[in-house]
Amino acid sequence: MSRRPVNPARRFADGGSIPFVGSVQSKTRSSPFLSIGLLVVSAILLIGYLHYGSGQSTSVKEALSKVEGGSSCTLEVQRALPVLKKAYGDSMHKVLHVGPDTCSVVSKLLKEDDTQAWGVEPYDLDDADAGCKSLVHKGIVRVADIKFPLPYRAKSFSLVIVSDALDYLSPRYLNRTLPELARVSSDGVIIFSGYLGQQRAKVTELSKFGRPAKYRSSTWWIRYFVETKLEENEAAANKFEQASTKRSYKPACQVFHLRSLH
């Protein structure tokens, strides 16, 4: 899986707000109202740049995702965390997240009380922010090709959550990856996958993953689980559905609950 990182913040900085300063200075005498307006616009652009460049704003990333015409299942994992905690209880205390932008999920999990979290990033992290690089340096987040065995012992984690990763794998590699995710978990695997019909490939998607995602229907996934002898965790799925109803939560991605390998 190759990734050619695109840094929107960098492009934004190239066309930043500095030219506005010159405009304000040159037109101060002729038009005070214009000067004030330009100062306000300049300040807004500067705040927006700093806010986005920090790498910590989920709301900005959500907005960009909507503008690009897609939905990030990794962002959906973060939205679903309260529901997952209700459905899985103590099993949410030792979690491995697998997928792009795993640092954002791990960082949010680590803020929870009595929660340990780790992450596997399937692609490179050349454009990662300082917080993410710190997680990598501490060994909490690893960069690893998920088509191959994960660097963890069996049942190293209570739960494994995977998002925005399996949709880029062919069945050949799914046959390797899913059992591996089930191997390193003790209480189950939770899959966040895009809905069938979201087939439009975006430029940013191709630059990150080298190929467009291939979204599958729930029927395809269920048939695949049966063929590969991966058991669905019906009890967890029911609890998740009940918790979702109580919180009026409607997932923007398909969510599947699997049992671990024993």
Side-chain angles (χ1 to χ4, degrees):
M1 297 182 183
S2 61
R3 181 180 182 183
R4 296 185 295 277
V6 177
N7 191 337
R10 197 169 298 159
R11 290 201 302 267
F12 186 72
D14 292 339
S17 58
I18 295 178
F20 285 101
V21 177
S23 300
V24 171
Q25 292 175 344
S26 63
K27 297 183 180 180
T28 301
R29 295 181 180 179
S30 60
S31 179
F33 293 104
L34 178 61
S35 300
I36 294 172
L38 289 173
L39 278 172
V40 171
V41 172
S42 201
I44 292 173
L45 289 174
L46 180 59
I47 293 171
Y49 165 68
L50 293 175
H51 189 54
Y52 182 83
S54 66
Q56 301 298 323
S57 174
T58 300
S59 60
V60 171
K61 293 179 181 179
E62 288 175 343
L64 286 174
S65 178
K66 292 178 181 178
V67 168
E68 291 174 351
S71 178
S72 166
C73 288
T74 295
L75 288 175
E76 192 61 30
V77 170
Q78 297 179 58
R79 288 185 60 231
L81 286 180
V83 180
L84 290 171
K85 288 185 66 177
K86 190 69 175 178
Y88 282 89
D90 292 341
S91 294
M92 285 292 292
H93 291 165
K94 195 172 184 181
V95 181
L96 173 69
H97 175 262
V98 179
D101 199 24
T102 189
C103 288
S104 63
V105 178
V106 171
S107 296
K108 191 161 187 175
L109 284 168
L110 290 175
K111 293 177 182 178
E112 301 288 335
D113 293 334
D114 301 323
T115 300
Q116 295 177 288
W118 292 263
V120 172
E121 168 64 56
Y123 310 96
D124 63 67
L125 290 169
D126 290 343
D127 57 348
D129 57 60
C132 186
K133 290 180 179 178
S134 175
L135 292 174
V136 174
H137 180 72
K138 294 176 182 177
I140 297 174
V141 169
R142 296 188 181 188
V143 179
D145 191 335
I146 60 173
K147 296 193 300 294
F148 301 96
L150 295 174
Y152 302 107
R153 296 179 179 178
K155 301 182 180 180
S156 293
F157 312 95
S158 53
L159 282 177
V160 173
I161 303 173
V162 57
S163 60
D164 288 328
L166 301 183
D167 295 325
Y168 295 90
L169 297 180
S170 65
R172 172 189 174 188
Y173 289 117
L174 278 175
N175 291 340
R176 301 178 184 178
T177 302
L178 266 179
E180 185 66 6
L181 297 178
R183 179 187 69 82
V184 300
S185 66
S186 61
D187 296 337
V189 177
I190 307 168
I191 300 171
F192 282 74
S193 174
Y195 279 106
L196 182 66
Q198 298 176 338
Q199 299 286 2
R200 183 160 55 101
K202 303 184 288 293
V203 174
T204 52
E205 182 181 72
L206 292 173
S207 66
K208 288 180 180 179
F209 312 119
R211 55 173 293 179
K214 184 176 182 180
Y215 298 115
R216 289 118 171 168
S217 66
S218 59
T219 303
W220 187 96
W221 278 111
I222 292 172
R223 184 173 63 249
Y224 177 80
F225 298 148
V226 172
E227 292 175 351
T228 54
K229 298 181 180 180
L230 291 169
E231 298 181 23
E232 288 191 82
N233 191 336
E234 294 182 4
N238 290 335
K239 289 181 180 180
F240 181 82
E241 186 175 348
Q242 292 170 6
S244 298
T245 301
K246 288 182 179 179
R247 292 177 172 269
S248 299
Y249 167 70
K250 295 182 179 180
C253 298
Q254 299 183 91
V255 184
F256 301 99
H257 307 263
L258 300 181
R259 295 183 181 276
S260 302
L261 294 182
H262 298 291

